[in-house]
Amino acid sequence: MNRTFIVLTIFILGMLSTAKDAEAQGKWSSEIPTEFRDAKQWKDTIDLLEKRDLYYGAMAAASRMIIFFNDLPSKEHAYKAIIRLVDMGYPYSTVGLFISGDIEPRDQYEFVNSYNLYKAILNKEKGMDRWAESYFSNVDKENFSKYLFYQALEEYSQGHLDKAEEILRKILAKKIGDDQVSFVRKTTRTLARVYFDKEDYKKSFDIYKTFLLKLNPVVPSDYLEAAWNLYYLKRYSEALGSLYNLESSLGDKSLDLERYTLRALIYKALCRTKNFETLGAAFQKQFGAVVEGLKRGESLMSYPQLKEFKVPGNAEYQQVALTVQELASEKKNLKDVPEPTLKLLNYLYDSEMRLLMTRARGLEMKALDRAAGQLLLMAEQLRFMKFEVARQKFNPDSVFIPSETFGDSFATSKDQEFRIRWVQLGDFWRDERLSYRGVVANQCTQ
């Protein structure tokens, strides 16, 4: 059964998007207010926001500089800021900002290669191969790690897994600076996905266990991807333990239905009929009213939960909505800024949020429709899978498999010393997160 997370959604360092999205972003324009026509004001503002770790505001300020000012020093300052923010982990596509880029950077190895690489990728996506090749010719293809990563993604997308692994391992063998932590994460996560697709689940899981799940902060989806590896390794109790981290009230607030799919498959593999019924009851409690309302044809706007669903086609909508939230949060930290700069910042944050909220309204109905379709599909899958789980006890392939085949499904302690259980109230100890287990003994032979 295919898992949804293997769909390649990695954007090259946050720089890729569709040509249609890029054109839509590139058409936005505005007249610069008279009192903010000094380019130095904007340069100082970007530097101030970066210094205070207000990265969403810094990205907004850099994008405005590119629109407002035509002189090359201003544009170069803005593009350097954008690339720095991407390197620090800015999570969303900024490809639209490079459409109007017409500078020819010649200093700073990292900046020159990054700018030319992003311009090359943009032109290639738009079918302008000669322009793409021209920009690629200005990139250090032998040594520049971001180009190697792009090359690895190309090999991966074509199914050349061995070649992709070779390139990714070459990148990770290089000496990488402390300012490239986000890049290392992306590279390592991609290598883990390559191993998964090669069905080398142990190597893939080891990357999550020894590196990705020990980072702070942890990307919630890494727990889900680690759980898939554990599922295929038949370490079912550990797979459930990995999913427990997604249930924490302190974790990711978005809704990912994939966790229901994985838990259902685990209960099916272990013939856990009652566990599956409990899972179905939990789904019904959380989403039953929404499902029934959708079947009756009620308005999608009546169910704000739909806005929180992680659906591949809703990436742009969620990006816009979450960016508005981040900007609103950052604005609260501007009270101690001197008055002239504060006035510019208030203008920047307020106008950016208004722009994004208008854009979000334009994307909202299609996003809600996709989320509703995903929810209805999951409800039907769980309904039919209930019979599959019940029938599994009569499947000879399950009944006659030795119990030790199921790995750690009995949740026994390796050292046999002691095991502590406590009521989960939504919090957790940091050091315990990789030690969670679900008590799910195999019932197929009973």
Side-chain angles (χ1 to χ4, degrees):
M1 184 172 186
N2 292 329
R3 74 207 192 292
T4 58
F5 92 84
I6 64 173
V7 178
L8 183 59
T9 58
I10 306 170
F11 295 98
I12 175 68
L13 310 176
M15 306 310 300
L16 299 179
S17 182
T18 64
K20 182 178 179 181
D21 294 337
E23 291 170 359
Q25 293 179 35
K27 290 178 181 177
W28 188 88
S29 63
S30 176
E31 183 70 25
I32 182 171
T34 305
E35 56 192 317
F36 304 134
R37 292 186 176 179
D38 182 0
K40 187 176 183 306
Q41 282 181 292
W42 289 88
K43 291 178 183 178
D44 293 343
T45 296
I46 292 174
D47 296 341
L48 172 67
L49 291 169
E50 282 193 68
K51 186 177 180 180
R52 293 188 172 214
D53 299 334
L54 303 176
Y55 300 129
Y56 287 84
M59 183 64 76
S63 67
R64 294 298 178 89
M65 274 198 76
I66 293 170
I67 295 169
F68 289 158
F69 302 100
N70 290 320
D71 62 290
L72 293 181
S74 294
K75 287 192 173 185
E76 186 165 313
H77 188 90
Y79 279 121
K80 284 181 178 179
I82 291 168
I83 290 171
R84 281 196 306 272
L85 292 167
V86 170
D87 289 345
M88 284 188 287
Y90 185 80
Y92 303 128
S93 172
T94 56
V95 67
L97 302 178
F98 283 80
I99 291 177
S100 60
D102 55 359
I103 64 176
E104 296 183 6
R106 300 185 183 280
D107 63 333
Q108 297 184 10
Y109 177 87
E110 189 73 26
F111 174 59
V112 171
N113 281 278
S114 294
Y115 178 85
N116 284 301
L117 175 61
Y118 301 153
K119 288 288 290 186
I121 294 170
L122 173 61
N123 280 280
K124 185 176 181 179
E125 285 216 324
K126 296 180 71 174
M128 302 172 67
D129 293 337
R130 293 183 64 181
W131 278 103
E133 188 55 40
S134 174
Y135 282 108
F136 274 132
S137 67
N138 293 318
V139 178
D140 182 356
K141 298 180 181 178
E142 294 296 322
N143 303 300
F144 189 50
S145 294
K146 293 179 188 176
Y147 176 80
L148 295 175
F149 183 57
Y150 165 75
Q151 191 179 35
L153 292 182
E154 289 287 287
E155 298 290 350
Y156 186 14
S157 66
Q158 296 172 26
H160 304 155
L161 301 181
D162 289 336
K163 185 61 177 177
E165 177 189 350
E166 178 187 338
I167 297 172
L168 292 168
R169 291 176 67 87
K170 178 181 178 180
I171 296 171
L172 294 172
K174 297 166 68 71
K175 184 177 180 180
I176 302 175
D178 294 339
D179 59 339
Q180 295 291 313
V181 173
S182 176
F183 176 67
V184 173
R185 289 184 180 187
K186 292 176 183 179
T187 304
T188 308
R189 186 175 292 110
T190 306
L191 180 59
R193 290 170 175 171
V194 168
Y195 283 139
F196 186 98
D197 285 357
K198 294 177 72 173
E199 299 185 9
D200 194 340
Y201 305 118
K202 187 177 186 307
K203 278 188 179 179
S204 180
F205 175 67
D206 284 344
I207 290 176
Y208 292 101
K209 182 178 180 180
T210 61
F211 179 61
L212 293 173
L213 293 179
K214 291 191 174 181
L215 296 174
N216 188 14
V218 173
V219 176
S221 60
D222 285 341
Y223 282 112
L224 186 59
E225 297 185 15
W228 275 110
N229 280 289
L230 290 165
Y231 167 75
Y232 283 106
L233 290 169
K234 300 189 188 309
R235 293 160 62 176
Y236 299 123
S237 66
E238 292 176 77
L240 286 174
S242 186
L243 293 177
Y244 289 166
N245 290 284
L246 297 176
E247 308 298 333
S248 169
S249 62
L250 301 180
D252 191 10
K253 303 304 179 187
S254 59
L255 300 171
D256 194 331
L257 294 175
E258 192 175 342
R259 68 187 71 175
Y260 286 94
T261 300
L262 182 50
R263 291 182 71 168
L265 289 172
I266 292 172
Y267 296 146
K268 177 183 175 182
L270 298 174
C271 303
R272 301 288 304 199
T273 306
K274 289 186 177 180
N275 290 81
F276 189 88
E277 290 174 354
T278 301
L279 177 66
F283 180 88
Q284 183 66 21
K285 181 179 180 180
Q286 187 171 7
F287 303 117
V290 183
V291 171
E292 291 304 315
L294 294 175
K295 289 180 178 179
R296 290 194 299 269
E298 294 181 6
S299 170
L300 299 178
M301 298 296 291
S302 303
Y303 301 104
Q305 272 181 299
L306 294 173
K307 297 180 182 180
E308 307 300 325
F309 279 89
K310 278 188 176 179
V311 179
N314 288 357
E316 183 185 1
Y317 171 73
Q318 290 178 332
Q319 168 186 336
V320 173
L322 290 173
T323 300
V324 171
Q325 293 178 22
E326 294 290 345
L327 288 169
S329 177
E330 286 186 2
K331 190 182 177 187
K332 296 176 182 178
N333 298 316
L334 300 176
K335 296 178 181 178
D336 60 337
V337 176
E339 182 57 38
T341 305
L342 180 60
K343 191 172 183 179
L344 188 153
L345 287 171
N346 283 331
Y347 157 74
L348 171 66
Y349 276 84
D350 291 342
S351 60
E352 188 71 10
M353 285 190 285
R354 283 197 303 270
L355 172 68
L356 291 174
M357 285 188 287
T358 301
R359 186 175 165 199
R361 285 193 292 272
L363 298 168
E364 189 170 57
M365 287 309 298
K366 286 186 177 180
L368 292 176
D369 187 59
R370 282 190 287 264
Q374 195 87 346
L375 181 62
L376 290 171
L377 179 62
M378 177 57 65
E380 290 300 302
Q381 285 180 337
L382 289 177
R383 188 164 68 89
F384 284 105
M385 203 172 213
K386 178 180 178 180
F387 303 104
E388 289 289 321
V389 175
R391 194 170 59 182
Q392 190 71 3
K393 278 196 173 186
F394 304 98
N395 182 355
D397 293 335
S398 298
V399 174
F400 297 107
I401 291 178
S403 59
E404 56 268 19
T405 303
F406 290 94
D408 192 32
S409 62
F410 289 91
T412 55
S413 175
K414 291 182 179 180
D415 53 25
Q416 299 295 327
E417 290 182 358
F418 61 87
R419 181 173 294 274
I420 299 175
R421 292 187 174 90
W422 69 96
V423 177
Q424 293 296 296
L425 301 176
D427 56 351
F428 45 79
W429 291 329
R430 169 72 175 168
D431 293 340
E432 296 297 321
R433 297 184 77 170
L434 296 180
S435 301
Y436 281 168
R437 299 289 187 275
V439 183
V440 283
N442 174 28
Q443 293 185 336
C444 291
T445 58
Q446 295 181 11

